[in-house]
Amino acid sequence: QELVRWALEVTDTAALVSRRVTELSGGERQRVMIARALAQETEGLLLDEPTASLDLAHQLDTLTLARRLAQEGRCVVAAIHDLSIALRFCTRLVILSEGRVAANGPPEEVLSEENLARYFRVRARVIRGQDPREIHLVPLESVPGQTRSLEAGYP
């Protein structure tokens, strides 16, 4: 019971215990699923888009918790499509392309301008602030010739 209370507290879901899962919003459901995984006291967490449907505060709380669990020795693997969030919270990134590992390593190396263009078809800049937590990925434009024509019109 102590472990369940802790999981409810760290995911901000204690107030939801009397509600049915079908009555929860997408973000509330996402946090409940994370609480359930934490209450099972697994050695690892496999998170698929853990910030989907979450408001900004819960996104930060969820990823801060995931990072803390990793620092404490748990294996935490997350599929994250928000590259700015990945830069900020992940210690290692893997880019998959055509079913294979295309890049693997520290975020600042993996999300190079070259890799962003090659694998994400985006010309972008990675900008670091004075605070080490301040990292911004600024998408500038789609890489020409690699995207669908915007002039194709409707069928």
Side-chain angles (χ1 to χ4, degrees):
Q1 286 183 340
E2 183 179 324
L3 187 57
V4 169
R5 272 193 291 277
W6 170 80
L8 292 171
E9 181 183 322
V10 298
T11 58
D12 192 27
T13 53
L16 306 176
V17 295
S18 63
R19 294 173 53 194
R20 294 178 181 265
V21 169
T22 56
E23 298 171 348
L24 302 176
S25 72
E28 290 169 335
R29 188 173 302 157
Q30 182 80 318
R31 293 181 358 250
V32 165
M33 299 305 280
I34 292 169
R36 185 175 79 171
L38 293 173
Q40 294 175 23
E41 207 169 22
T42 61
E43 292 180 22
L45 292 172
L46 182 57
L47 305 170
D48 184 13
E49 292 294 338
T51 58
S53 302
L54 297 182
D55 60 45
L56 189 54
H58 284 114
Q59 287 180 24
L60 294 171
D61 292 346
T62 297
L63 292 173
T64 299
L65 173 63
R67 184 172 50 202
R68 190 178 94 214
L69 293 170
Q71 289 169 339
E72 291 173 357
R74 288 202 206 184
C75 176
V76 179
V77 176
I80 298 175
H81 288 93
D82 183 330
L83 302 182
S84 292
I85 290 283
L87 274 167
R88 165 92 159 66
F89 286 94
C90 298
T91 57
R92 178 169 216 81
L93 295 181
V94 176
I95 295 177
L96 300 176
S97 178
E98 299 179 10
R100 296 177 185 239
V101 173
N104 176 8
E108 60 277 358
E109 291 177 18
V110 170
L111 291 181
S112 65
E113 291 180 15
E114 179 181 312
N115 283 345
L116 290 165
R118 178 182 295 147
Y119 301 112
F120 295 95
R121 302 182 342 245
V122 172
R123 193 169 67 81
R125 296 279 184 260
V126 176
I127 301 169
R128 296 184 174 278
Q130 291 179 339
D131 183 328
R133 298 172 303 165
E134 187 181 347
I135 304 169
H136 305 280
L137 184 122
V138 181
L140 302 171
E141 63 185 1
S142 297
V143 173
Q146 294 187 11
T147 58
R148 288 178 243 106
S149 172
L150 298 177
E151 298 171 6
Y154 291 103

